[in-house]
Amino acid sequence: MKDIKILAVESSCDETAVAVVENGNKILSSVVATQIDVHKDFGGVIPEVASRIHVENISMVIEEALKKAELDMPDIDAVAFTQGPGLVGCLHIGVQAAKTLAWAFDKPLVPVHHIAGHIYANRFLTDLAFPLLALVVSGGHTELVYMKDEWSFQILGTTQDDAIGEAGDKVGRVLGLPYPGGVYVDKLAKEGKPIYTLSKPKTEQALDFSFSGLKSSVLQFIDRQKRQGLEFNAADLAASYQETALDALLLRARKALTQYQPKQMLLAGGVAANSRLREKIQEELAIEYPTIDFVIPPLSYCTDNAAMIGAGGYVAYKHGVRASYDCSADPGLELENVEEASV
């Protein structure tokens, strides 16, 4: 059987990334031009600036990815791209680049949902076993996704306000930590203990998430201490926030695992790099559910990259998913809508 080589483009936020992936589980090349050093001065991503840098980087990154894979465009079987969700201007650059390549070299064009890419990034680590449950945690998403087979997506629960990564970044900001705040909250929490009581996230639906109240609880705690002239330990507050947030994640994951009894549970998304979350899954869930295979991706597969889009693009390609040349970026693309065969 012929090996399928996918050239994938990812530009949903502040990473300009291109990769070449073979058969959805072998990375031939993966190039990422990050913009963190630019946006950290602003304490967050500036969409207009990010889009402009994507324009500057995209051609160079495509060329480098092909060079590292030791391939030319005629060797590529299809071009995959992140259609959404994400920042519309940033997505647009990747979509236009992918459409141009597909048109110029007469290659199939394959749209990929950003979250599907994060989920399928686990294929670089192991074969996926269905049905499975994916806990997706990132700056823009907190979701429990049930997959009965390799191309079906059912959202069991989602955040009603802030995603866990977004909340972590905001907490990091009020603690005076560098951008991205969530990463530094994780580091600071290692130095403290969860001794402060914070508001536990509450939702109407059992599997939904909410982190806005917890974020506000941190802000209110700091304000209250300052008004009363009392000091607090920043490391202890970081640990208290993190334990409360992660316990909320695991509480809902437990409910879903008990109800749906999947063969496998995957961790996916940028917050999957959180060291304490990885520990708690291994030390708690893996012990409580010994018949379920828990898959935690390597750190390199957690943050945004194009290899994950190549992994998802391969599955989409096999299932006949294609995009026409008049397709456009969709910043609000729903995961449950990507099962259709064409756009």
Side-chain angles (χ1 to χ4, degrees):
M1 184 176 178
K2 181 182 182 297
D3 292 325
I4 302 298
K5 297 178 178 63
I6 305 286
L7 183 141
V9 180
E10 153 63 23
S11 66
S12 62
C13 190
D14 60 342
E15 316 283 7
T16 311
V18 178
V20 179
V21 175
E22 184 176 270
N23 298 332
N25 58 11
K26 181 179 180 182
I27 300 174
L28 302 184
S29 69
S30 180
V31 180
V32 180
T34 183
Q35 302 178 17
I36 286 181
D37 287 343
V38 174
H39 297 290
K40 70 179 181 181
D41 293 336
F42 302 99
V45 177
I46 306 301
E48 293 81 4
V49 174
S51 299
R52 190 156 56 245
I53 297 175
H54 282 310
V55 172
E56 296 171 357
N57 287 342
I58 189 66
S59 296
M60 172 187 67
V61 176
I62 291 171
E63 182 179 350
E64 184 68 13
L66 286 168
K67 181 180 179 181
K68 286 189 173 183
E70 298 183 348
L71 296 171
D72 296 314
M73 278 304 300
D75 303 313
I76 299 298
D77 295 288
V79 178
F81 65 95
T82 303
Q83 186 178 24
L87 300 174
V88 63
C90 297
L91 287 167
H92 180 72
I93 306 307
V95 171
Q96 292 302 112
K99 288 199 293 186
T100 300
L101 284 173
W103 177 82
F105 293 95
D106 193 27
K107 303 295 181 181
L109 188 59
V110 182
V112 179
H113 192 286
H114 184 77
I115 295 305
H118 275 302
I119 292 172
Y120 286 119
N122 285 279
R123 294 189 81 240
F124 297 127
L125 183 63
T126 186
D127 291 333
L128 303 190
F130 301 94
L132 67 76
L133 180 72
L135 176 59
V136 181
V137 281
S138 70
H141 302 273
T142 307
E143 296 175 342
L144 280 167
V145 182
Y146 179 73
M147 298 176 64
K148 67 177 185 295
D149 55 48
E150 74 168 4
W151 196 243
S152 68
F153 307 92
Q154 179 184 355
I155 306 298
L156 303 181
T158 188
T159 183
Q160 298 302 298
D161 39 62
D162 290 354
I164 189 169
E166 179 184 7
D169 286 346
K170 291 177 179 176
V171 169
R173 193 177 305 148
V174 300
L175 289 175
L177 301 175
Y179 171 82
V183 174
Y184 292 95
V185 168
D186 183 25
K187 292 181 179 179
L188 183 61
K190 296 179 187 296
E191 303 173 14
K193 297 180 180 180
I195 61 174
Y196 300 123
T197 300
L198 300 173
S199 175
K200 294 183 178 181
K202 298 178 181 178
T203 56
E204 290 186 11
Q205 302 299 320
L207 298 182
D208 279 343
F209 303 92
S210 171
F211 295 98
S212 179
L214 174 58
K215 173 198 66 182
S216 297
S217 182
V218 173
L219 301 178
Q220 291 164 3
F221 173 85
I222 294 174
D223 288 342
R224 187 165 58 249
Q225 296 297 104
K226 289 181 177 179
R227 285 198 310 269
Q228 297 175 2
L230 300 174
E231 294 184 356
F232 67 90
N233 185 291
D236 289 341
L237 183 56
S240 300
Y241 160 76
Q242 183 160 267
E243 287 299 308
T244 305
L246 298 184
D247 284 346
L249 286 180
L250 265 62
L251 173 64
R252 288 151 179 80
R254 285 184 177 93
K255 291 179 179 179
L257 289 169
T258 300
Q259 181 177 350
Y260 289 88
Q261 292 292 311
K263 293 181 180 179
Q264 199 172 58
M265 178 176 165
L266 312 178
L267 192 58
V271 182
N274 181 279
S275 63
R276 184 60 180 145
L277 174 58
R278 298 163 78 92
E279 287 175 0
K280 289 175 78 70
I281 288 178
Q282 292 172 325
E283 295 172 359
E284 297 180 25
L285 295 187
I287 294 174
E288 295 170 24
Y289 299 87
T291 63
I292 296 174
D293 177 28
F294 289 87
V295 181
I296 300 177
L299 297 181
S300 59
Y301 300 154
C302 296
T303 52
D304 289 352
N305 61 86
M308 71 184 198
I309 302 304
Y314 171 75
V315 179
Y317 176 84
K318 284 200 310 176
H319 284 264
V321 176
R322 302 289 186 271
S324 61
Y325 292 131
D326 62 356
C327 72
S328 59
D330 186 349
L333 183 64
E334 297 290 340
L335 182 59
E336 291 175 314
N337 293 340
V338 303
E339 298 172 25
E340 299 177 6
S342 60
V343 297

